[in-house]
Amino acid sequence: MTNAAQTKQMQSGPGFIAALDQSGGSTPKALGLYGVSEDAYSNDAEMFDLIHAMRARIAQAPAFTGEKVIGAILFEMTMDREINGKPSATFLWEDRGVVPFLKVDKGLEDGANGVKMMKPMPDLDALLDRAVAAGIFGTKMRSVIDAANQAGIEAIVAQQFEVGAQITAKGLMPIIEPEVNITIVDKAEAEVMLLAALTRHLDALPEGQQVMLKLTLPEVENLYKPLVDHPAVMRVVALSGGYSRDEANARLSTNTGMIASFSRALTEGLSAGQTDDEFNATIAATIDSIAAASNAG
């Protein structure tokens, strides 16, 4: 994290982080919402070409700049590709003023104790070295909470911070993402347990060390304000988690200090069949609305 300008932007820049990190499992759905059906590609390579084209189109839209989009989370294949003739991370920072992050997890284990832990990442060190070389600022890794299960939540947070320490050791900023499933009946109880577990792990970090947190928008407004204010937290960002953009924005605007890191809510309304003018107008309106909600809190 040697780039002081990137650090400052992530600490205090107004706006939000775009999540452009759909992986193999979620890409067909993302393409379908974008108007590209599964019969438009015959293998994974063609599928990833199409999702990269979508991401590149978003990143090159006139409104997609660091003025309101302070960061963007990339899928590994996006980091390895180019946008407008430059490596993706280089293009984002040099041409757009957007701080690049990388999704590093390899998906989820089967559920146990009400949670889905991250799968093992034996090649993480090599991936992190590539990320550093590519100019990536930080990383993101997701696991999922499906019930207010104390043991499961403790395990999921411990795993996140353990991997986070490995990422920090490489000089990258980890975004820790223990997502709470928005459909569960005990969501509010799970969030109280998660707050306690996160606080304990943050309190145990070495002085001066920081992480970022990516959390589901809570049932209780400002539940996570203590995390926003914690000295070991650079920024708390919110995932849309399946909420519509309007509902995600409404919830976000009531949570002081949290900013968005939306994926599906960011691409809602975009279509492969739109003209460039239509596409750019749609993404500009979306960026304005998410930035406003991020800055309102």
Side-chain angles (χ1 to χ4, degrees), residues 249-268:
N249 282 342
R251 285 175 174 258
L252 178 62
S253 64
T254 65
N255 283 278
T256 304
M258 290 183 76
I259 65 171
S261 177
F262 294 169
S263 176
R264 193 202 50 74
L266 173 68
T267 57
E268 184 180 315

Side-chain angles (χ1 to χ4, degrees), residues 151-232:
I153 290 172
E154 292 289 345
I156 218 171
V157 172
Q159 183 191 41
Q160 284 274 347
F161 275 84
E162 180 182 356
V163 180
Q166 188 177 352
I167 291 161
T168 300
K170 294 289 188 178
L172 295 164
M173 171 57 62
I175 299 179
I176 285 169
E177 183 186 8
E179 174 181 348
V180 179
N181 186 331
I182 67 169
T183 68
I184 61 176
V185 295
D186 51 1
K187 179 172 180 280
E189 294 87 344
E191 288 166 346
V192 171
M193 293 179 183
L194 177 61
L195 172 62
L198 288 169
T199 301
R200 283 194 297 275
H201 281 267
L202 290 168
D203 288 345
L205 288 177
E207 186 174 354
Q209 186 171 311
Q210 288 188 314
V211 299
M212 293 174 62
L213 302 173
K214 182 168 179 175
L215 305 173
T216 305
L217 289 158
E219 293 304 292
V220 176
E221 291 178 9
N222 284 322
L223 177 72
Y224 295 133
K225 186 63 166 59
L227 303 178
V228 173
D229 296 333
H230 199 289

